[in-house]
Amino acid sequence: MKHKIFILFFLGLFLCLSFSACESEQSVWRIGVSQCSDDAWRTQLNREIEREALFYPGVSLEFKSAHDDSQQQIKDIETLVNDGVDLLVVAPNEVSAITPIIEKIYQKGIPVVLVDRKIDSESYTAYVGADNYEMGYQIGQYIVNRLGGQGNVVELTGLSDSSPAMERHRGLKEALTESGHVNLLATVDAGWRLQDAEQVFDSVLTCYPEINLVFAQNDRMGVGARNVAVRRNRSKDMLFVGVDALPGKGHGVELVSDGLFDATFIYPTGGDCVMQVAMQILQHKPYERMNLLSTALVNRENARIMLMQTQHIETLDGKIELLDKQLDEFLLRYSSQRMFLLACLVILILVCVLLVFVVRAFWTKKRMNAELSARKTQLEEQRDQLIELSRKLEEVTHAKLAFFTSVSHDFRTPLTLIADPVEQLKQSASLSKNDRYLLDLIEKNVTVLLRLINQTLDFRKFENGKLELHLSSFNLAQGLKDWTEAFRTLSCRKHIHFTVDVQEEANGKLYDVVADPEMMERITYNLLSNAFKFTADNGEIAVRLSAFRKDEKSWVRLEVADTGIGMPEEQLAHIFESFYQVDVHDSGSGIGLALVKAFVEMHHGKIRVDSKEHKGTTFIIDLPSEQEGVLNPQEKRANLLNNLKEGAVLAADQSEVHIVHEEVTPIPDKEKETVLIIEDNADVRQYIRTLLSGKYNILEAANGQEGVQQATKHVPDVIVCDVMMPVMDGLECCRILKSELQTSHIPVLMLTAYTLEEQKIKGYECGADSYISKPFSANLLKVRLHNLLENHRRVQNFFADKPAVQKEGLNQVDQGFISKLRQLIEEELGNSEVSVEDLGARLGLGRVQLYRKTKALTGYSPNELLRIARLKKAASLLASSEKSISEVTYEVGFTSPSYFTKCYKEYFGESPTDFLKRKSNS
């Protein structure tokens, strides 16, 4: 283990060093740039942003151009935001279209830097660009001076809804207006494009024969206007002024230098400023929100100088880019060499460590070989002991199975002696209805025991390899219909939708099979008994029989599907194992499905199961239609018919198929106490009902969950509860009943088929009041119930004068209830308006629940308790004060002195007046 730790340590060191050596400049900040178009001015702006970004390691840039399309720019902005940019740089195409999306992004907390153009809102982080209004004003002043204060001017604007176009126009117009004699003939929208400028200016030339100067809001539109003027031989009559003053061939500075433009104004790109502001924002440093860039006039006097400076700057830019590339190459080479050096060092360390490990491993191996040799000898001795123990265990197991088989054989004789006298007694005409029911119950359960014994004997034969097929030829479809008929009664009682679906026969011999009919019957009963056992009321169970061909032979398929509790996947692999039980609360033997699998395999078939927890289970059996062997139709046919006549009682794992007696729910007798029977076996419930119905009102529940609901609803006087039940067992049911305020006072008598002390201890810990083991004596059950109710009556002295009696036999929940009820009554003695509903609401109980619980614990109703408390308080006041009878009446909550006098005399045997006379005489 220590060796592995050392190796992992050095490998981790190696990886850390490698990662530090290979560490690349991963992006720390992501900046998205959304340009409204892709003209030369914006290309220059993007280049400046990229160049300035070289000074900020860890910055990545992503550029998008909308090509003068506002909708495309909106999509570009959304894409950049979804990609997770940390800051957005935007040159809005149009004010009205782009403002909403900028506001939305800004409200999300993403910084937004506007470049060149603005929006119609203050929802942005910073602005970088020229003051377009001031630029327009300066251009207007230049035009006035250039024309000598008099002339005609035409203005070509950019996109009408873009902020530079609007602001430059306002500044120009104000400057021309101040001159008074320079006329602005026309202002036309050329959309910042050369082609649009040519088209609109051609119309302007047609309308205005005398134009002295043309002002274009960028140099491209100015070139378009001049091209039209040249074509129409009017270029010599007018001057051209533009904006941008970009260097390079065909751009503004060269046009002025060549005399094609009279002048152009520098519109600074400011890409370096954009990047600086963006980084100040991302690094949370102080920054200016409005970053206005300066402009300047370019005319023939300074144009050539600017061209020379621009060429020199471009040369320097090229050298800077070359140096940047070389620097990247040097850094990459340095990083590679550093990584290689560190890798060599780590490898050298690992070699040394491995060498140490090899030496230690050699000596460790030598020592371990000696230890293994000693342990081998010890293990061989243990193996011999285990073999001997296994042999003895096998002998003991066979002895137990033989004993169990022998006992099972012995059971058949007394059961036969019981079954025959019962059959004879049933033929008597003098039997009462109750006697006949008891004989039917005995007969049915004798049949169940016989089937269990037969199943046990068959299982023993299967274990010994002596189980044989007794083949007969019969119609499986008809047999299936007969076998399943016994389940109709149970399906009606549990409100289960039970269907038997036999595929329509192509001919009368489709389901004529050669098989062991008794085994097929047992297979059907076992599968259906499990389905009914684990399917709740109102569920569904379906039996389907179909035929198919496989390997050119006829096969039949039997499916039994239910909507029961299902099984988790880990249990499916074990359900066909002997003595395996899915439900710990199931009282079955655990050999039913093992026998089903054995019967199926003896018929050369296959069985499989599909199940999902809380969804249901489906068993699917495929069998060949004909089994090879000697037919014995007479014997087996007789056995089959005999089994059908017996009533088709389910025996697999003692599944509950019960005789259902139609009963009319009796009206509860108020003079009788009520017993709730919680028992999953309907026969046991009916038997207990028969024993107790003459003396008590009877309520029934088939499981613990239903029992809790019944107890909460009806609040019985005593509960008889079985321990082992599906859905909710008796222990959990008792624990819930004893923890709820409505039911905590009810005595609980537990029934159990087990005699283990541990289980009884658990029951008493859950609050059980008494235990009876199955099978139980009817007299013992009656006496135990009588004693429980008698003991409970002893605690019904709520307002007795003996404090010790008040707590006798009460658990903590009931003591708390009693104390709180006493306190509430004392608080409300003087309140004549208080009602039972008011007391129940403050105790968390309904009116009926409060009445039943109070009556059970004290023997009095809530109103009686309140009246008794008021009378005792009144007697105390009359004896200890000089108050009149009327004053005492109202003080203790009575509304009428006459009614108070009546109640007082009934309770104390004398009127208040007589008491006062006796008091004054004494």
Side-chain angles (χ1 to χ4, degrees):
M1 187 65 186
K2 291 182 179 179
H3 298 167
K4 293 181 180 179
I5 293 174
F6 280 126
I7 292 174
L8 290 174
F9 172 77
F10 282 108
L11 285 177
L13 178 62
F14 172 75
L15 291 174
C16 291
L17 293 174
S18 299
F19 283 136
S20 64
C22 301
E23 193 174 32
S24 61
E25 292 184 359
Q26 298 180 349
S27 297
V28 178
W29 294 290
R30 297 186 61 193
I31 298 177
V33 181
S34 173
Q35 293 286 11
C36 56
S37 62
D38 53 356
D39 53 60
W41 188 88
R42 302 196 182 279
T43 302
Q44 177 66 22
L45 172 63
N46 292 344
R47 288 180 60 192
E48 291 176 359
I49 292 175
E50 288 179 325
R51 184 172 59 207
E52 186 67 19
L54 297 175
F55 295 97
Y56 301 96
V59 173
S60 64
L61 299 170
E62 185 174 352
F63 293 89
K64 288 187 178 294
S65 175
H67 306 290
D68 301 310
D69 185 345
S70 296
Q71 295 304 315
Q72 180 61 43
Q73 187 169 29
I74 293 173
K75 293 179 181 179
D76 291 344
I77 292 172
E78 290 176 342
T79 300
L80 290 171
V81 171
N82 292 334
D83 289 344
V85 296
D86 300 297
L87 182 141
L88 197 62
V89 177
V90 183
N93 188 50
E94 293 177 289
V95 172
S96 59
I98 305 302
T99 296
I101 186 66
I102 296 298
E103 290 180 330
K104 180 180 178 182
I105 301 306
Y106 181 76
Q107 290 170 1
K108 285 184 177 181
I110 301 176
V112 179
V113 178
L114 299 181
V115 179
D116 167 35
R117 304 183 183 186
K118 298 178 182 178
I119 61 174
D120 191 16
S121 170
E122 293 298 318
S123 296
Y124 60 89
T125 309
Y127 169 76
V128 178
D131 185 341
N132 284 288
Y133 172 82
E134 181 64 25
M135 175 179 284
Y137 187 81
Q138 292 181 15
I139 293 171
Q141 290 180 327
Y142 172 78
I143 291 173
V144 171
N145 294 332
R146 188 71 176 84
L147 295 179
Q150 188 172 358
N152 297 320
V153 178
V154 172
E155 180 186 21
L156 299 180
T157 70
L159 201 61
S160 61
D161 195 28
S162 62
S163 62
M166 294 185 288
E167 292 175 353
R168 291 176 189 176
H169 170 71
R170 286 193 293 108
L172 174 72
K173 190 174 181 180
E174 183 173 342
L176 296 181
T177 302
E178 290 176 355
S179 70
H181 298 289
V182 177
N183 299 321
L184 183 60
L185 296 178
T187 298
V188 292
D189 184 352
W192 303 111
R193 291 188 286 264
L194 184 146
Q195 295 83 356
D196 293 349
E198 289 181 345
Q199 183 178 355
V200 298
F201 192 64
D202 187 65
S203 300
V204 170
L205 288 178
T206 303
C207 296
Y208 300 101
E210 184 178 354
I211 299 174
N212 302 112
L213 187 144
V214 176
F215 166 54
Q217 289 191 356
N218 70 7
D219 292 338
R220 283 183 298 167
M221 294 188 294
V223 171
R226 191 178 185 287
N227 290 341
V228 175
V230 169
R231 287 198 298 268
R232 298 185 61 166
N233 297 318
R234 293 183 59 180
S235 60
K236 296 181 181 180
D237 299 335
M238 58 190 73
L239 302 175
F240 293 90
V241 176
V243 175
D244 280 348
L246 289 176
K249 189 171 180 60
H251 295 308
V253 176
E254 186 180 67
L255 292 172
V256 174
S257 177
D258 293 343
L260 302 180
F261 273 22
D262 181 69
T264 183
F265 280 75
I266 295 175
Y267 188 57
T269 50
D272 52 349
C273 183
V274 171
M275 194 63 205
Q276 291 168 8
V277 172
M279 292 310 300
Q280 287 170 350
I281 294 171
L282 290 175
Q283 294 174 347
H284 304 290
K285 295 181 178 180
Y287 64 91
E288 294 290 337
R289 188 166 187 267
M290 299 300 296
N291 299 273
L292 300 179
L293 306 177
S294 301
T295 184
L297 171 68
V298 177
N299 54 21
R300 298 195 64 177
E301 294 177 358
N302 59 5
R304 189 163 300 279
I305 296 174
M306 288 192 64
L307 283 175
M308 293 173 61
Q309 290 177 342
T310 301
Q311 291 174 357
H312 181 65
I313 291 172
E314 288 178 350
T315 301
L316 293 177
D317 286 344
K319 291 181 179 180
I320 290 173
E321 291 178 359
L322 177 62
L323 289 174
D324 181 64
K325 292 180 180 178
Q326 291 178 347
L327 180 61
D328 287 341
E329 292 176 0
F330 289 145
L331 289 174
L332 180 61
R333 188 181 305 170
Y334 167 76
S335 178
S336 300
Q337 291 176 350
R338 182 185 176 201
M339 180 184 68
F340 178 74
L341 177 61
L342 291 174
C344 291
L345 290 174
V346 172
I347 291 173
L348 180 61
I349 294 172
L350 288 177
V351 168
C352 295
V353 172
L354 288 174
L355 182 62
V356 173
F357 284 167
V358 168
V359 174
R360 292 192 60 184
F362 172 76
W363 292 107
T364 302
K365 182 180 178 182
K366 188 174 181 180
R367 186 183 70 255
M368 291 183 66
N369 284 337
E371 293 177 356
L372 287 173
S373 179
R375 291 187 63 185
K376 180 181 178 182
T377 303
Q378 183 181 1
L379 288 174
E380 288 176 350
E381 294 176 356
Q382 292 178 351
R383 181 197 61 189
D384 295 339
Q385 293 175 358
L386 288 174
I387 292 173
E388 180 64 19
L389 287 174
S390 177
R391 184 185 63 79
K392 291 182 179 180
L393 181 61
E394 185 175 357
E395 291 177 356
V396 171
T397 301
H398 282 292
K400 287 182 178 179
L401 286 174
F403 172 76
F404 194 58
T405 305
S406 176
V407 171
S408 298
H409 278 289
D410 293 341
F411 279 157
R412 296 172 69 101
T413 300
L415 285 174
T416 303
L417 294 176
I418 294 172
D420 186 61
V422 168
E423 180 65 28
Q424 295 181 28
L425 287 172
K426 286 180 62 177
Q427 296 175 4
S428 173
S430 62
L431 293 174
S432 67
K433 181 178 179 181
N434 187 57
D435 292 338
R436 189 169 298 280
Y437 161 71
L438 294 176
L439 288 174
D440 288 339
L441 186 63
I442 294 171
E443 183 182 42
K444 184 174 77 69
N445 283 280
V446 166
T447 306
V448 170
L449 285 174
L450 284 172
R451 285 185 175 276
L452 285 173
I453 290 170
N454 290 335
Q455 185 163 274
T456 303
L457 295 175
D458 285 344
F459 181 74
R460 176 61 174 159
K461 290 178 182 179
F462 169 69
E463 290 284 314
N464 293 332
K466 295 181 179 180
L467 192 61
E468 297 179 354
L469 288 174
H470 298 278
L471 301 177
S472 294
S473 178
F474 63 98
N475 187 272
L476 181 59
Q478 184 59 45
L480 185 64
K481 291 178 181 178
D482 294 338
W483 302 330
T484 56
E485 193 62 30
F487 291 87
R488 294 295 176 187
T489 302
L490 179 60
S491 66
C492 292
R493 184 176 65 82
K494 297 185 70 174
H495 305 289
I496 290 177
H497 183 61
F498 179 44
T499 59
V500 180
D501 180 20
V502 178
Q503 180 182 333
E504 186 176 350
E505 300 187 24
N507 54 66
K509 298 183 179 181
L510 181 61
Y511 294 112
D512 286 345
V513 299
V514 175
D516 187 323
E518 187 174 355
M519 286 188 181
M520 295 304 299
E521 178 193 18
R522 299 270 290 280
I523 288 172
T524 305
Y525 285 158
N526 273 285
L527 294 182
L528 280 177
S529 68
N530 279 332
F532 276 92
K533 182 188 302 182
F534 296 112
T535 301
D537 293 0
N538 302 309
E540 296 181 9
I541 296 177
V543 179
R544 293 183 285 271
L545 181 65
S546 59
F548 64 97
R549 295 192 64 80
K550 178 180 178 182
D551 300 331
E552 300 183 355
K553 293 183 180 180
S554 296
W555 287 62
V556 292
R557 173 171 292 170
L558 176 63
E559 300 178 56
V560 178
D562 64 65
T563 59
I565 61 175
M567 291 174 282
E569 187 174 351
E570 61 269 15
Q571 292 183 346
L572 294 181
H574 304 288
I575 60 171
F576 295 113
E577 296 176 2
S578 303
F579 310 113
Y580 182 79
Q581 292 176 284
V582 174
D583 187 357
V584 296
H585 302 308
D586 179 23
S587 59
S589 62
I591 63 175
L593 289 177
L595 272 178
V596 168
K597 186 173 186 293
F599 292 163
V600 171
E601 291 177 347
M602 290 180 68
H603 282 82
H604 305 95
K606 294 182 179 179
I607 182 171
R608 65 181 187 275
V609 59
D610 294 327
S611 183
K612 291 184 179 179
E613 200 167 4
H614 308 301
K615 297 290 185 180
T617 303
T618 301
F619 286 91
I620 304 171
I621 297 174
D622 292 339
L623 298 172
S625 296
E626 296 186 3
Q627 303 294 325
E628 296 181 0
V630 179
L631 296 181
N632 186 10
Q634 298 300 325
E635 179 184 352
K636 286 299 167 185
R637 177 70 69 176
N639 289 337
L640 175 61
L641 293 175
N642 185 51
N643 286 333
L644 292 175
K645 289 179 181 178
E646 287 179 356
V649 180
L650 299 181
D653 283 350
Q654 289 185 310
S655 300
E656 57 163 347
V657 177
H658 309 286
I659 301 172
V660 177
H661 302 271
E662 293 187 4
E663 300 175 357
V664 178
T665 303
I667 299 174
D669 187 346
K670 295 184 178 179
E671 298 299 323
K672 294 180 180 179
E673 291 164 310
T674 301
V675 178
L676 170 60
I677 305 169
I678 308 175
E679 166 65 60
D680 62 324
N681 189 296
D683 289 332
V684 176
R685 289 203 307 272
Q686 179 62 27
Y687 179 61
I688 297 176
R689 171 185 280 274
T690 303
L691 294 176
L692 305 178
S693 58
K695 187 176 180 181
Y696 304 100
N697 294 318
I698 304 298
L699 299 173
E700 294 185 28
N703 57 63
Q705 181 175 322
E706 184 180 338
V708 171
Q709 295 171 352
Q710 291 275 47
T712 304
K713 180 179 179 182
H714 299 287
V715 192
D717 296 288
V718 66
I719 296 174
V720 178
C721 181
D722 190 20
V723 173
M724 303 300 290
M725 292 183 293
V727 183
M728 180 189 292
D729 63 23
L731 298 178
E732 179 64 13
C733 174
C734 182
R735 185 191 65 79
I736 292 175
L737 290 173
K738 290 298 184 178
S739 62
E740 292 294 329
L741 181 61
Q742 300 95 316
T743 57
S744 59
H745 65 282
I746 304 174
V748 178
L749 172 63
M750 305 293 289
L751 298 178
T752 177
Y754 297 97
T755 59
L756 295 177
E757 293 299 326
E758 290 84 352
Q759 189 183 60
K760 291 187 178 181
I761 291 172
K762 288 182 179 179
Y764 287 126
E765 288 176 347
C766 291
D769 296 273
S770 185
Y771 253 101
I772 291 183
S773 299
K774 294 181 181 178
F776 55 83
S777 162
N779 290 332
L780 177 61
L781 176 64
K782 293 177 182 178
V783 171
R784 285 283 179 88
L785 287 177
H786 175 76
N787 289 341
L788 282 176
L789 290 171
E790 277 298 315
N791 289 336
H792 192 61
R793 292 189 189 100
R794 295 174 186 172
V795 301
Q796 295 181 345
N797 297 310
F798 177 76
F799 282 99
D801 294 330
K802 298 178 181 179
V805 180
Q806 297 172 13
K807 297 185 178 180
E808 181 181 350
L810 294 182
N811 57 37
Q812 291 183 352
V813 176
D814 290 338
Q815 289 181 25
F817 169 78
I818 291 293
S819 298
K820 191 166 184 180
L821 179 60
R822 179 193 292 275
Q823 181 182 350
L824 287 177
I825 289 176
E826 290 175 353
E827 291 175 357
E828 300 294 341
L829 279 179
N831 183 4
S832 60
E833 302 296 328
V834 69
S835 64
V836 177
E837 287 81 0
D838 297 332
L839 295 176
R842 295 179 65 177
L843 288 168
L845 297 175
R847 182 179 183 278
V848 175
Q849 292 172 331
L850 176 62
Y851 174 85
R852 289 175 176 170
K853 187 172 183 69
T854 307
K855 190 75 172 177
L857 287 175
T858 68
Y860 296 101
S861 69
N863 278 329
E864 290 172 333
L865 291 177
L866 185 58
R867 185 168 63 251
I868 291 170
R870 285 171 171 167
L871 291 172
K872 288 188 175 183
K873 180 66 174 177
S876 176
L877 290 173
L878 290 173
S880 61
S881 69
E882 298 301 325
K883 295 181 179 180
S884 66
I885 295 176
S886 297
E887 290 175 332
V888 170
T889 297
Y890 298 118
E891 184 171 343
V892 297
F894 281 92
T895 58
S896 168
S898 60
Y899 179 65
F900 166 71
T901 301
K902 177 178 177 295
C903 294
Y904 190 95
K905 186 172 184 179
E906 288 177 354
Y907 188 76
F908 291 107
E910 64 177 345
S911 67
T913 305
D914 293 338
F915 172 78
L916 291 177
K917 289 180 180 179
R918 184 163 51 83
K919 173 185 173 184
S920 60
N921 293 332
S922 61

